[in-house]
Amino acid sequence: ILELVEGPPLAEHIAAGPLPAAEALQIARDIAEALEYAHERGIVHRDLKPANIKLTMEGRAKLLDFGLAKALEAEATAGDLLSSPTLTLRATTAGVVMGTPAYMSPEQAKGRTVDRRCDIWAFGVVLYEMLTGSRPFQGADVTETLASVVRDAPDLSRVPSELRHLLSRCLEKDPSRRLRHVGDALEL
């Protein structure tokens, strides 16, 4: 049995246009706290996006749809298909990337082993989208979108200057240089 979360998805709220920075930051804080809670329990969401975040009637953000979530493993290897995000929903055939391409981290888009930093990347993408009303990585189809994630730099000039450092740390292509814990985003 799941909690009934009444209210619109964040995607509908963003569709009306960019959010004021203060509102976006409050929603981002709620998302970061939810991710931190999951990460502390060894869970990686792997499909964080505005459609998987609901805004309650009280104005709080709730993270939903852990359908692609994965328990962190201490020793996953790049060749281990069971820990790779490149499995079909039946988990029997390699080659299909799981998740939503515009919100995938570069390592997830490349089919590499992921950890909590893929959620930090997606957190940065969602925050960017709340602030600008558009996604930082786009393409005409899935392949072009994934290519944009892997190769393009987001246009941080479109976000308030005081948030550029945070977004650059979240959207760092090299996961070893990305924020290590989403809770760190609350301090920047």
Side-chain angles (χ1 to χ4, degrees), residues 77-88:
T77 62
D80 180 6
L81 290 179
L82 294 177
S83 65
S84 170
T86 58
L87 300 178
T88 66

Side-chain angles (χ1 to χ4, degrees), residues 4-188:
L4 172 63
V5 180
E6 294 190 40
L10 178 58
E12 285 181 19
H13 202 50
I14 294 171
L19 281 58
E23 182 181 0
L25 286 175
Q26 180 54 54
I27 293 169
R29 182 172 304 285
D30 291 345
I31 296 166
E33 288 172 358
L35 285 174
E36 187 173 41
Y37 184 87
H39 292 169
E40 286 175 352
R41 284 147 185 80
I43 303 295
V44 178
H45 191 281
R46 297 196 312 173
D47 197 24
L48 179 65
K49 59 186 176 184
N52 288 341
I53 300 163
K54 277 227 178 176
L55 301 176
T56 67
M57 301 310 213
E58 296 79 30
R60 301 297 309 257
K62 292 272 192 164
L63 183 54
L64 309 175
D65 195 357
F66 280 77
L68 294 182
K70 170 183 177 350
L72 291 172
E73 296 173 6
E75 295 191 29
T77 62
D80 180 6
L81 290 179
L82 294 177
S83 65
S84 170
T86 58
L87 300 178
T88 66
L89 293 177
R90 291 189 192 102
T92 58
T93 308
V96 177
V97 176
M98 291 187 347
T100 305
Y103 302 91
M104 283 184 182
S105 65
E107 63 273 18
Q108 194 174 5
K110 293 176 183 177
R112 297 193 178 140
T113 302
V114 298
D115 59 23
R116 68 184 64 181
R117 291 172 295 182
C118 77
D119 285 345
I120 293 168
W121 171 277
F123 169 83
V125 173
V126 170
L127 179 55
Y128 182 98
E129 189 172 351
M130 285 192 290
L131 293 167
T132 66
S134 64
R135 296 181 190 127
F137 307 101
Q138 299 183 38
D141 57 31
V142 171
T143 303
E144 288 181 15
T145 301
L146 290 173
S148 178
V149 166
V150 171
R151 101 179 150 236
D152 297 340
D155 180 4
L156 296 181
S157 69
R158 297 186 61 207
V159 301
S161 59
E162 64 272 14
L163 297 175
R164 290 179 190 156
H165 178 68
L166 168 61
L167 283 169
S168 70
R169 293 292 315 278
C170 291
L171 298 175
E172 172 61 52
K173 298 222 185 260
D174 179 353
S176 69
R177 297 182 59 199
R178 199 174 301 147
L179 284 180
R180 296 209 184 277
H181 302 281
V182 73
D184 295 341
L186 299 173
E187 297 173 15
L188 293 178

